[in-house]
Amino acid sequence: MRADQILHPTPAGLYCPPGDFYIDPIRPVPRALITHGHGDHARSGHGAVMATRQTLEIMAIRYGTDFAGQTQAADGPLRVGDTTVSFHPAGHILGSAQIAVQPDHGPRIVVSGDYCRHPNPVSAAYEPVACDIFVTEATFGLPVFKHPDPAGEMTRLIASMAEFPERPHLIGAYALGKAQRLIMLARQAGIDGPIAIHGALQRLCDYHVEQGIDLGPLVPATAKQVEAQLVIAPPSAFASAWVQRFRDPVIGFASGWMTVRARARQRGVELPLVISDHVDWPQVTRTITELAPSEVWITHGAEDGLMRWCELEGIPARPLRLVGYEDEPE
Amino acid sequence: MRAFSTLLERLAFTPARNAKLRILRHYLEQTPDPDRGFALAALTGGLKLRTVTPGLLRGLMVERVDEQLFALSYDFVGDLAETIALLWDTDRDEDVPLHQAVALLSDTGKAGLPTAIAGMLDRLGASQRLAFLKLATGNMRIGLSARMARIALAEMGDPDVAQIEEIWHGLTPPYQPLFDWIAGGPRPEQAAKAPFRPVMLSTPVDLDQLQAFRPEDYVAEWKWDGIRVQAINDGGVRRLYSRTGEDIGTSFPDLIEALNFDGTVDGELLVRRGDDVAVFGDLQKRLGRKQVGRGMLDSHPASLRVYDLMIWQGRDLRDLPLTQRRAVLDGADFGSDRIDVSPLLPFATWDDLAALRADPPAAVIEGVMIKRRDSVYVGGRPRGPWFKWKRDPHVVDAVLLYAQRGHGKRSGFYSDFTFGLWDADQLVPVGKAYFGFTDEELRELDRFVRNNTIERFGPVRSVAPKLVLEVAFEGLNASGRHKAGVAMRFPRISRIRWDKPVAEADHLSTLKAMIA
Ligand SMILES: [Zn+2]
């Protein structure tokens, strides 16, 4: 069987005919395999969903327990149609996985989903999985993206908090994964006191604590008087009247995009923090070099840059041009 | 240079003036000499370095990065120096002292420059690379004026801003004597000729407040709508300073040539053709030019209207009462028809003066100045001796079109408002205002914006054209940059017209008719 008969893009998402399933479909489908809990990958309304136990639990928190007709936790290799599938840590967020698809006849394909190789206290470390075809994101698929050590970014945050002790520091971070990682980074950097979190983060933070990730003392940032200098909120909160309760805040944002000044300015950010849970350029190119697949498929992101690199390296590559995934759905 | 690169980044992203000042002051307090002095010079445009061209930088990249990957990267980042800083491939991140980078950029010959720059970039991490490249391309763009730098310096020690301004122009980077003085050492000798002297400023007043004073204690003169300047000829050294001490002489060579006197005088810079003083917009065309063409010198001739004498023929007059300075001024010969004296206005009562102010003889007059006869000349803005009584502002009724979220104390509030006027049956944006309203009104405007949003673009929202704002402004300039062809000066929201139907807002033609 040819590779594109095993997996190919459709309007609903990547489809696997021999297994009769979709991976991270953007529309309701009878059977979905889901890499991780971010909203653009994990949607509700599918007939059956297979994902890691943590991804299933996260989906239940976000969409309610009836988010799919039936669910199955992915433990070890599993038969689906005429394929064997297995889930492997992706290092992106809690529960995130790469999905390896082994058809009975034909090449082995690894769909990496969103992945990251920086150490991340809220996610199991990325595990390289040998394959014939490696399906990768290219969110930061340009050589300008070399994410710095996050500890250095925390040093900048702490310096700003010391320089402006009277100003609350409101840092935008996506509710799932990035927010908890930011809290853990703050703890590692020595911020022991209470950190305030926006109401939209509460249940996901609670879930991380239940999973054994000690986030330390958290207080709600919904009160009239917020008792913490460091406040973490999802990006959408910054357009709402919620911000108005803070007096002269420093607005920050934690994202890989903050590498580029124009992007930080667009967001009206005063303290850009380059903290990403996606592979940067050195990581994505190193991963491809290590895995040495016979072909690379690029799902979404800055595919032109990565395509060019593959061309220079003599690695066959093709863009899948999947739509429906956000720029950095962290 | 690590601290310098952090400083640049913080200043670039920090919108509030006071926060910028604090960041700069902390940097200056914590950074050793001579680096802090070079940083200060770099920020205030006082550093004369070899300018590195974009062509040279591109040449460095051609040898190092695939052309297509470079083009894709540049396209995404949008700034050449930043693209190169991000793309440069090195594992090193040495904290290279700023003075080393400055020395490299001032001492290296043209032929050796590419190799020297590459060698420096090889030693630096990404944020230092960006700082170095911004230094090399002479392109800081962090919105910090020399005036603000001097305020930060004044916050560091005893000398105040006026004292620092007074010696500023005699100093050269890295300003060691200045920092020594701030730390308690001796005041630097004023070595340079024609130094800037702190300017005396006025406070606003109105007719009610004037009733507390006796008219006979004061003189009055027109307040000309030009640029307040200090013109100097000190033993042949000629200077023209703005009132904050910026040397603006290079933009006005015609006036510099006319400073054929011996002294330091306080006056208004104007464009004047014969007896006709031109509108501010004409003067604005002369501002900020490094070179002025013959045609511009002929069509927009600069002139000086003198208000006061500070130093005259070797005598410092600043401690004399105004009437005595004025007597010397009235008898002075400036030796050029580009320079004349601001006439005093005849009045016996404040009502007399109100009548004059209500009907000035020229559009370029923006009110009257009222000065105590016995006032000595002191730098700064003392309360009392000098008043400005400005003409009432112009107003138009405009329609709110867009709103942008504010920063700092206005975080979370839509506080920057773009408004428009009717042009035929369309509303054309004519300006932006972000003050004039009370905190309570800001909350009401914010609520209105949120409830009437049509579209969002990042921090900006377009708003249903439903609300009329009364916009007050000081004057108008023709402007090619604005779609409507006019730019308002100091626009602010003077009233929110919740009551007024949008159809009754003003037309663009009304505004254009106000251009004198
Ligand atoms: Zn994701």
Side-chain angles (χ1 to χ4, degrees), chain B residues 233-376:
Chain B
N233 186 331
D234 179 5
V237 176
R238 297 159 187 238
R239 290 274 185 272
L240 190 64
Y241 293 112
S242 74
R243 70 178 171 87
T244 54
E246 312 305 323
D247 187 340
I248 57 171
T250 47
S251 300
F252 299 94
D254 46 350
L255 183 56
I256 290 284
E257 199 178 299
L259 301 180
N260 298 314
F261 55 78
D262 174 13
T264 298
V265 311
D266 179 347
E268 196 83 10
L269 175 62
L270 300 163
V271 164
R272 178 160 61 85
R273 303 179 182 96
D275 288 337
D276 290 334
V277 177
V279 293
F280 183 78
D282 279 14
L283 177 60
Q284 205 173 31
K285 292 201 176 74
R286 292 281 309 264
L287 285 178
R289 289 173 185 264
K290 291 221 170 68
Q291 277 188 335
V292 196
R294 192 72 252 168
M296 182 61 85
L297 289 173
D298 289 342
S299 62
H300 292 68
S303 74
L304 179 68
R305 188 151 284 178
V306 181
Y307 293 131
D308 213 330
L309 297 181
M310 300 165 73
I311 296 168
W312 192 247
Q313 295 178 338
R315 255 180 87 204
D316 192 335
L317 308 184
R318 287 180 287 176
D319 288 336
L320 299 180
L322 172 63
T323 42
Q324 289 187 36
R325 297 199 305 277
R326 182 76 200 193
V328 182
L329 173 59
D330 286 335
D333 177 10
F334 290 97
S336 165
D337 54 11
R338 283 185 189 272
I339 304 177
D340 61 9
V341 175
S342 167
L344 295 183
L345 301 174
F347 72 102
T349 67
W350 295 125
D351 284 348
D352 292 350
L353 194 58
L356 287 169
R357 167 181 168 274
D359 186 23
V364 66
I365 289 169
E366 55 168 1
V368 293
M369 295 295 302
I370 302 167
K371 300 176 174 175
R372 265 192 83 95
R373 290 174 181 273
D374 60 2
S375 56
V376 296

Side-chain angles (χ1 to χ4, degrees), chain A residues 147-176:
Chain A
H147 299 326
D149 181 354
E153 300 300 287
M154 297 314 286
T155 306
R156 298 199 302 114
L157 169 64
I158 288 168
S160 176
M161 289 169 67
E163 187 152 42
F164 296 101
E166 75 287 9
R167 299 176 71 189
H169 282 54
L170 271 53
I171 312 298
Y174 284 93
L176 171 58

Side-chain angles (χ1 to χ4, degrees), chain A residues 156 163 166 239 244 308, chain B residues 9 22 26 66 446 450:
Chain A
R156 298 199 302 114
E163 187 152 42
E166 75 287 9
Q244 295 173 2
R308 174 62 180 167
Chain B
E9 180 173 313
R22 192 187 300 181
H26 286 167
D66 172 61
D446 178 75
R450 290 173 191 279

Side-chain angles (χ1 to χ4, degrees), chain A residues 36 38 92 114 329:
Chain A
H36 67 288
H38 277 148
H92 174 56
D114 290 338

